[in-house]
Amino acid sequence: MKATIKDVATLAGVSKSTVSQFLNGRFSYMSETTRKKIEEAIAELNYRPNQIAKSLKQKNTKIVALICATLHSRFSLNLIGSIEEFFQKEGYSVIIASSEDDSQKEKSLVESFLARQVDGILVFPTSQNKEYYQKLAEQRIPLVFLDRQLSGVDVPSVLLDNKLAGAMATQLLIDQGHDKIALFTFPVKDRITTRIERIEGYEETLVKNKLTRPDEFVVCCELEELADRLDQLFQYTPKPTALIMGNDMLLEESLFWSKREKKKIPDDFSLVGIDDVSFARLFDPEITTLAQPIEKIALKAASLLWEQIQGISQETTSDSYLYKPTLIQRSSVKKLN
C-alpha cells in the first residue's frame, strides 16, 4: 500500500497541515527539527504525493524546475536564460530556485517541486544528497545535474571541463614567466566538484612545470572574506605575481579590492578569471578570462531533461558531458622577464 500524507504526519509526529506546508515549500514558521523529521519520514516511507493522480493525467504539467546554487552569479543567470528559452519553445514554464549550497534546503526544494508535480528537475547538486538522488533515478524521475558531478549516481551531468580550466589559466601565466601564482575559490565543503577540479588542474600544471607553491597560495573563502584574504596574501613573502579567480563573483570582488587598494593590474599583479563576464571587457585594463560555452551547456542539459520527460531516454545513466573553456586573452597578464 502506498504511503499517505497521514502516514508521513504520524511518523514525523506532526499534523497533516504541517506536512502539507512542507510539501508546498512553506518553511517560514517551521523549525529545522520539524523539517528534518518530515524529510526522514518521507524518505523512510518512500512517499510521493499524488502519484496515482499523476499517473492518470492525460497531460504533463508543462513545468520544469531549475535549482541553482546561487542567483548572484552571472554564469547562473545566463544559464537560466538559455534554459528558459529552450523550454518556452516547447510550451513549458521554468520555476527557478536557489539552494545557496545548503544541502538540506536543496533536498526540501526538490521534494516541494515533486509535490507540485513538475515534469523534471535540473539541479546544481551537493554530495550530501547523493543517496537521495540515486533513489529518484531508480524511480525514473526526470533529472539532470548541472555544473557538478556526483559519482555513482545514475543521473547525467553537464558541465565545464573544470580541471582543464584550472590547468589552462595556470599554464597561461607560467608561459608568461610567472612562478608565484595564487588561486582563489569558494570553500570546498561538501566536496563540490567544480571547485575541487579547478584546484586539481592548477596543482597538476604546477607539478608538470616543476613548480611548487606555499600552502597560502590556494585560498578557499566566502565572498565576504575575499578582501581580508587578499590583504593577508599580499603581506606574505614572497608575494604572488599572479592571481587566478575561480569564478565570476570572486573576479568582480577582486577588482573592487584592487581599486580600493590602488593596485595596478598587471603592474602589481596579473589576473585571470574563470568565467567570462561583460565587465571583464569594461575594466581598465581588460581582464583575461576563460569563457564557459554557456549556451551549449544549457542546450545539452535541457535536451537531456526533455528526452527523459518525453520518454525518448528510458535508461538511467551517469554520463558526464564536459565542455572545453575558451581562453580570451586581454590585457591583465604581464609578461615577466
Side-chain angles (χ1 to χ4, degrees), residues 68-319:
C68 298
T70 178
L71 296 178
H72 300 296
S73 165
R74 287 171 171 78
F75 164 72
S76 296
L77 295 176
N78 291 336
L79 194 72
I80 289 168
S82 295
I83 289 172
E84 277 193 313
E85 183 179 356
F86 174 94
F87 279 105
Q88 284 173 356
K89 289 178 180 177
E90 303 296 341
Y92 272 63
S93 298
V94 182
I95 304 175
I96 311 298
S98 170
S99 69
E100 301 300 331
D101 277 331
D102 180 331
S103 59
Q104 192 171 41
K105 181 180 179 182
E106 173 192 324
K107 185 176 179 181
S108 296
L109 284 168
V110 173
E111 287 290 352
S112 174
F113 288 138
L114 291 176
R116 299 180 196 184
Q117 301 181 13
V118 298
D119 294 333
I121 298 175
L122 300 127
V123 61
F124 289 50
T126 55
S127 62
Q128 290 180 12
N129 289 323
K130 184 174 179 177
E131 292 182 3
Y132 172 67
Y133 284 127
Q134 182 57 32
K135 287 182 180 178
L136 295 185
E138 291 168 359
Q139 295 170 36
R140 298 294 192 271
I141 302 295
L143 186 64
V144 173
F145 291 155
L146 278 165
D147 193 53
R148 300 158 184 189
Q149 305 175 80
L150 293 184
S151 62
V153 180
D154 294 325
V155 174
S157 304
V158 188
L159 64 159
L160 183 73
D161 188 334
N162 289 293
K163 184 179 285 191
L164 179 60
M168 287 174 64
T170 308
Q171 190 62 55
L172 168 69
L173 292 165
I174 292 171
D175 289 345
Q176 297 301 309
H178 294 271
D179 58 6
K180 300 177 183 65
I181 304 165
L183 171 69
F184 283 76
T185 183
F186 281 156
V188 293
K189 62 183 180 180
D190 199 35
R191 303 292 298 168
I192 292 174
T193 56
T194 304
R195 301 164 193 176
I196 291 170
E197 289 169 0
R198 290 179 185 182
I199 294 172
E200 288 174 348
Y202 160 83
E203 298 276 17
E204 290 176 9
T205 305
L206 291 179
V207 171
K208 178 183 175 183
N209 287 273
K210 298 181 173 55
L211 296 176
T212 59
R213 56 90 182 166
D215 292 341
E216 290 82 359
F217 277 20
V218 172
V219 183
C220 301
C221 66
E222 300 291 355
L223 189 62
E224 58 270 19
E225 300 170 336
L226 181 64
D228 287 341
R229 299 300 293 271
L230 282 165
D231 288 338
Q232 293 169 18
L233 183 64
F234 278 92
Q235 291 171 8
Y236 184 81
T237 302
K239 295 180 176 65
T241 62
L243 304 180
I244 299 170
M245 290 295 156
N247 62 46
D248 56 358
M249 292 182 287
L250 290 171
L251 175 61
E252 184 174 24
E253 190 63 27
S254 71
L255 293 174
F256 289 142
W257 174 84
S258 67
K259 185 177 181 180
R260 286 196 304 270
E261 297 299 317
K262 295 181 171 55
K263 298 284 188 181
K264 293 184 178 180
I265 302 170
D267 293 335
D268 292 326
F269 63 90
S270 293
L271 182 63
V272 176
I274 299 178
D275 288 339
D276 189 46
V277 283
S278 59
F279 64 76
R281 302 191 302 273
L282 302 175
F283 196 82
D284 184 18
E286 295 184 9
I287 307 301
T288 293
T289 59
L290 285 146
Q292 298 201 44
I294 295 176
E295 288 189 12
K296 290 182 179 179
I297 291 172
L299 179 59
K300 184 62 178 180
S303 297
L304 287 170
L305 189 67
W306 176 250
E307 289 173 2
Q308 292 181 48
I309 292 170
Q310 297 300 308
I312 298 170
S313 175
Q314 297 288 342
E315 297 299 321
T316 57
T317 176
S318 58
D319 289 347

